[in-house]
Amino acid sequence: MAKSTTIHGIIVRRHWVHPSPFDPYLPMRVDDPLLQATFVERPNRFVIHARLAETGEVVRAHCPNPGRMHELLLPGAVVYLSRAEDPRRRTPYTLRFIEHPQHGQLISLNTQLPNQLFAEGLATGFFPQFQGYSRVQREVSVPHPSANGVVSRVDFRLSRPDAPACWVETKSVTLVHEDGLAEFPDAPTTRGRRHVEELAGLVAQGDRACVVFIVQRPDATRLRANRTTDPAFAQALEQAVAQGVEVYAYTCRVTLGCISLAGPIPVETSGMENKMEHG
DNA sequence: ATCGTCATACAGAATGCACG
DNA sequence: CGTGCATTCTGTATGACGAT
């Protein structure tokens, strides 16, 4: 445990920087040295090949984002890799950032970062709607309401003695259109659909449940479900909202050295008021 | 009895592809 | 068009084990 501390039950890694009164937002420092490279190809969803700027060598890198990212992963796109520390890994590098092919905006690609950003936001009181919970559990297993024996995990369960539990599922978003519209998902996700159905089931049990979309770039002005790519997810989300699941979305500030939660953006759900707008 | 460390197992991460 | 399989890595839980 020498490498981490605990705040409200949340393990906070040492490289996280806690906000001071001078920090208007929550910075998550990227300490690893980054290497600039250009994207070459993606042989499978977990691996990319990229050409290091410094040496011209083409290297294998782990892709920590299984989404399609068609509009980003164009040959020649500037990417930033970190060197893997674990010598057993088959990929000696990890893809961390990509520059937008058109306007150069830096985009963070690690789908696990939103979970960490949310955890730190919780621990430091960034979210007014999630304050007052004394206990935080992560990756809590729940049975799917309409499936035999299928169990999945919800990212966070917040609780306190005198109130219903609050379940939170975070979702990583990287797809943002030129007009600022962010869409989730970038590829059909039956798992994501199952998650929102489960959240609706938890609301039916009397608990509170929320989806928190974290857009890992600053240029989104609003978010909605990607009806074109995944109509089933879009419908499941609509229904979940109708059943009382709360939906929130946040953008991030992204630099090569620091990723931080920026601010909330509205979530558009057709024909229904998002709970967030109530208060 | 409790704790830390370690190994292991498992689900999950915004899939993609071959195959029938 | 659905099914099944393969791809790489990580966070968490769990249990064994030895030390305290």
Side-chain angles (χ1 to χ4, degrees), chain A residues 78 80 97-100 103-108 216-219 254-257:
Chain A
V78 175
Y80 293 90
F97 300 95
I98 189 166
E99 286 183 4
H100 192 284
H103 47 74
Q105 170 62 54
L106 209 53
I107 298 158
S108 166
Q216 298 197 62
R217 48 196 281 184
D219 54 341
V254 182
T255 68
L256 290 180

Side-chain angles (χ1 to χ4, degrees), chain A residues 200-246:
Chain A
L202 291 163
V203 169
Q205 286 177 26
D207 283 348
R208 185 182 171 199
C210 313
V211 181
V212 176
F213 295 97
I214 308 282
V215 187
Q216 298 197 62
R217 48 196 281 184
D219 54 341
T221 55
R222 62 200 194 283
L223 179 143
R224 72 176 175 219
N226 194 340
R227 198 169 298 281
T228 311
T229 298
D230 194 346
F233 175 84
Q235 201 201 333
L237 187 66
E238 286 301 334
Q239 182 157 1
V241 168
Q243 292 174 265
V245 173
E246 301 164 47

Side-chain angles (χ1 to χ4, degrees), chain A residues 34-203:
Chain A
L34 297 171
L35 293 93
Q36 195 185 66
T38 50
F39 174 73
V40 175
E41 61 180 350
R42 187 188 196 185
N44 65 59
R45 69 167 168 150
F46 293 111
V47 175
I48 67 153
H49 294 167
R51 185 181 304 279
L52 295 177
E54 196 172 336
T55 63
E57 179 192 5
V58 174
V59 298
R60 268 164 67 85
H62 174 57
C63 176
N65 186 324
R68 285 178 182 162
M69 301 182 285
H70 284 326
E71 76 291 347
L72 299 176
L73 289 180
L74 304 174
V78 175
V79 296
Y80 293 90
L81 315 177
S82 60
R83 178 100 203 162
E85 289 176 16
D86 188 340
R88 293 167 301 181
R89 270 179 51 162
R90 289 197 259 175
T91 51
Y93 297 90
T94 303
L95 174 62
R96 304 291 287 269
F97 300 95
I98 189 166
E99 286 183 4
H100 192 284
Q102 274 82 51
H103 47 74
Q105 170 62 54
L106 209 53
I107 298 158
S108 166
L109 295 177
N110 190 337
T111 54
Q112 293 180 59
L113 215 51
N115 240 311
Q116 298 176 32
L117 284 165
F118 183 79
E120 186 174 351
L122 270 184
T124 54
F126 179 83
F127 301 107
Q129 70 272 42
F130 298 126
Q131 284 182 6
Y133 292 97
S134 52
R135 184 177 184 208
V136 177
Q137 297 162 271
R138 297 179 71 160
E139 303 291 342
V140 179
S141 295
V142 293
H144 188 272
S146 66
N148 23 349
V150 176
V151 171
S152 57
R153 297 178 187 169
V154 180
D155 292 329
F156 293 88
R157 181 180 187 273
L158 318 181
S159 55
R160 57 187 174 196
D162 57 337
C166 176
W167 301 80
V168 179
E169 184 70 25
T170 66
K171 293 290 172 200
S172 169
V173 184
T174 54
L175 174 60
V176 177
H177 298 284
E178 290 303 303
D179 63 355
L181 174 65
E183 289 196 291
F184 178 97
D186 172 28
T189 168
T190 57
R191 195 173 286 168
R193 193 189 71 208
R194 197 177 77 223
H195 285 152
V196 299
E197 289 169 355
E198 283 157 358
L199 291 180
L202 291 163
V203 169

